[in-house]
Amino acid sequence: MPDPAIDVKAFLSKLKPFTALPDDDVARLASSARVKSYRKGDTIYSESERADGVWVLRSGRIQIFKFTSQGESLALESLATGELFGTLCRLGSGDRSYPCTAVAAAPTTAIWLPERLFLDCYAKHPGFLSGLCSLCSERLRDMQGLRCLGQEAVPVRLAAILCRLHQVHGTVVPFTKKELAELVGAAVETVFRVISKFEKNGLLESSHGKIHIKNFKKLQEAAESSVRL
């Protein structure tokens, strides 16, 4: 059996911001890491739960949710392999609870890192801190972009979200229509109709649990509402 710490170390060593750490620090994080597996629909952590670790997605897909006072879920973002979660929104705040809920949207493997070791690296290495700030900025920009879409028509919102997911997942976006509806913030039936229209116009093709993007340029134009569909 291979040492799981070696696999985790090799994986982390290729990811920002861990590339800014000395090899010994990456090895120390990896030796204390836990690799956890989840089935689709499993909750990794819940909003307001005490946060004692930092997470890195090893494989699969994670959806991040907030819940309204009425108990309705609001999908905030979807994460792909190599992305950090459960930490960026807490950096520098002293908050030791998770502000959101993370759910496995597919069979998923995640790496848990002890928060005390992670924060030690954060305090000691300016390059690591700079990398974390860069990740925070990128994620915030994406979140603000999606928030600004809130007043746009559903076709524009859906096209913009698919363009973002294309950047993360490539040509084949591993999302169901229901999951897309959650991200768009629209009724499933409405999203079904828009997807059908996009298919007729040659932008994409849908199959069970997947969206195949066929014309990314035209999808971008739809996201900018510069073409009539």
Side-chain angles (χ1 to χ4, degrees), residues 192-211:
F192 275 31
R193 287 196 296 271
V194 175
I195 287 175
S196 295
K197 188 177 289 188
F198 282 2
E199 287 183 300
K200 289 177 183 176
N201 285 276
L203 278 70
L204 53 83
E205 190 176 89
S206 64
S207 58
H208 181 65
K210 295 178 182 177
I211 301 292

Side-chain angles (χ1 to χ4, degrees), residues 89-103:
C89 51
R90 298 188 293 108
L91 286 176
S93 69
D95 192 347
R96 291 297 172 263
S97 61
Y98 293 117
C100 307
T101 296
V103 176

